[in-house]
Amino acid sequence: GAVVSQHPSRVICKSGTSVKIECRSLDFQATTMFWYRQFPKQSLMLMATSNEGSKATYEQGVEKDKFLINHASLTLSTLTVTSAHPEDSSFYICSARLALAKNIQYFGAGTRLSVL
Amino acid sequence: GESVGLHLPTLSVQEGDNSIINCAYSNSASDYFIWYKQESGKGPQFIIDIRSNMDKRQGQRVTVLLNKTVKHLSLQIAATQPGDSAVYFCAENTSGYALNFGKGTSLLVTP
């Protein structure tokens, strides 16, 4: 199946710093990528939908100025957590949708963010 | 009041037995459903999908059943193995192609 690479897999940062997470589709073009957040023992919650070349669409309650999303190419989307705080500590997961197969999404391995 | 921090329901089965994991979905207009398996510290892994014009679909050792009348989805795993231990999520598509995930069930396979 298609591969989605997410980097880094784990990051520890100090409160107030910014962290960038990359999501790459390695062998296919993804017109749309999605960013999810998952707290321990909970389900995945959609944060935003990222379309190549346009602004991301954020879910209600997700601050767009805090979680900056850039989707500059068909194979790369980035999520930047700005001025991170301990409550931002979570597991962040991206997925990519095949351009020609609208319902199929492939997930990255996730990024564990710990803010001290 | 409600407790903070959800507790995943857990299904414990013996190795070799069949497992049935259930899921209720919310949107009657959803036309595509997927089951994912998530191991600790990893991203979701696709297991099987089903469209709303079907009520059953089989894969290798897995079967998904869809009951649109009661908005219920189930995943059956035959001859459960230790490697099947994980959290299982059902997901339904949304109008923007994002997925709405269910709460998840933790499957524990005991020897």
Side-chain angles (χ1 to χ4, degrees), chain A residues 10-88:
Chain A
R10 186 180 181 96
V11 57
I12 301 172
C13 70
K14 292 183 179 180
S15 185
T17 60
S18 295
V19 174
K20 180 185 283 188
I21 303 170
E22 292 187 349
C23 181
R24 294 181 184 272
S25 57
L26 295 186
D27 51 0
F28 66 98
Q29 293 185 331
T31 53
T32 306
M33 290 184 174
F34 304 93
W35 288 95
Y36 297 83
R37 181 165 56 183
Q38 185 178 31
F39 292 107
K41 298 192 182 302
Q42 294 190 28
S43 189
L44 284 76
M45 296 299 295
L46 179 67
M47 298 176 66
T49 301
S50 169
N51 290 300
E52 185 267 337
S54 63
K55 292 183 179 180
T57 302
Y58 291 81
E59 295 300 298
Q60 191 172 10
V62 179
E63 299 176 56
K64 63 179 181 179
D65 294 330
K66 180 167 184 64
F67 298 100
L68 300 179
I69 292 173
N70 184 283
H71 194 159
S73 76
L74 285 171
T75 60
L76 174 64
S77 176
T78 61
L79 168 68
T80 301
V81 183
T82 62
S83 187
H85 292 285
E87 57 265 31
D88 298 323

Side-chain angles (χ1 to χ4, degrees), chain A residues 32 34 36 38 40-46 49 91 93 97 102-110 112, chain B residues 5-8 31-32 34 36 38 41-44 49 51 89 93 96-99 101-104:
Chain A
T32 306
F34 304 93
Y36 297 83
Q38 185 178 31
K41 298 192 182 302
Q42 294 190 28
S43 189
L44 284 76
M45 296 299 295
L46 179 67
T49 301
F91 194 51
I93 309 172
R97 178 168 73 88
K102 297 179 179 179
N103 284 321
I104 299 177
Q105 289 186 33
Y106 297 93
F107 283 83
R112 172 74 60 193
Chain B
L6 298 174
H7 173 67
L8 280 175
D31 60 0
Y32 180 65
I34 314 170
Y36 285 97
Q38 187 181 28
K42 297 183 179 180
D49 59 358
R51 297 194 181 277
F89 293 97
N93 72 326
Y97 298 110
L99 295 172
F101 281 81
K103 294 182 179 179

Side-chain angles (χ1 to χ4, degrees), chain B:
Chain B
E2 293 184 0
S3 60
V4 176
L6 298 174
H7 173 67
L8 280 175
T10 299
L11 174 66
S12 184
V13 298
Q14 280 200 318
E15 182 177 357
D17 288 350
N18 297 332
S19 303
I20 299 177
I21 300 172
N22 297 303
C23 175
Y25 63 93
S26 55
N27 187 357
S28 58
S30 294
D31 60 0
Y32 180 65
F33 305 89
I34 314 170
W35 278 100
Y36 285 97
K37 172 186 179 183
Q38 187 181 28
E39 296 175 328
S40 181
K42 297 183 179 180
Q45 176 186 354
F46 173 91
I47 301 175
I48 191 168
D49 59 358
I50 188 168
R51 297 194 181 277
S52 59
N53 60 352
M54 304 172 69
D55 53 20
K56 180 179 180 179
R57 188 157 189 236
Q58 287 184 295
Q60 187 176 15
R61 279 203 309 123
V62 293
T63 302
V64 55
L65 299 178
L66 174 62
N67 185 329
K68 294 181 288 293
T69 304
V70 294
K71 291 189 286 187
H72 183 268
L73 202 64
S74 70
L75 175 70
Q76 301 177 2
I77 305 174
T80 314
Q81 302 169 0
D84 294 327
S85 293
V87 177
Y88 290 81
F89 293 97
C90 67
E92 57 182 336
N93 72 326
T94 67
S95 59
Y97 298 110
L99 295 172
N100 183 31
F101 281 81
K103 294 182 179 179
T105 297
S106 177
L107 176 65
L108 177 63
V109 182
T110 57

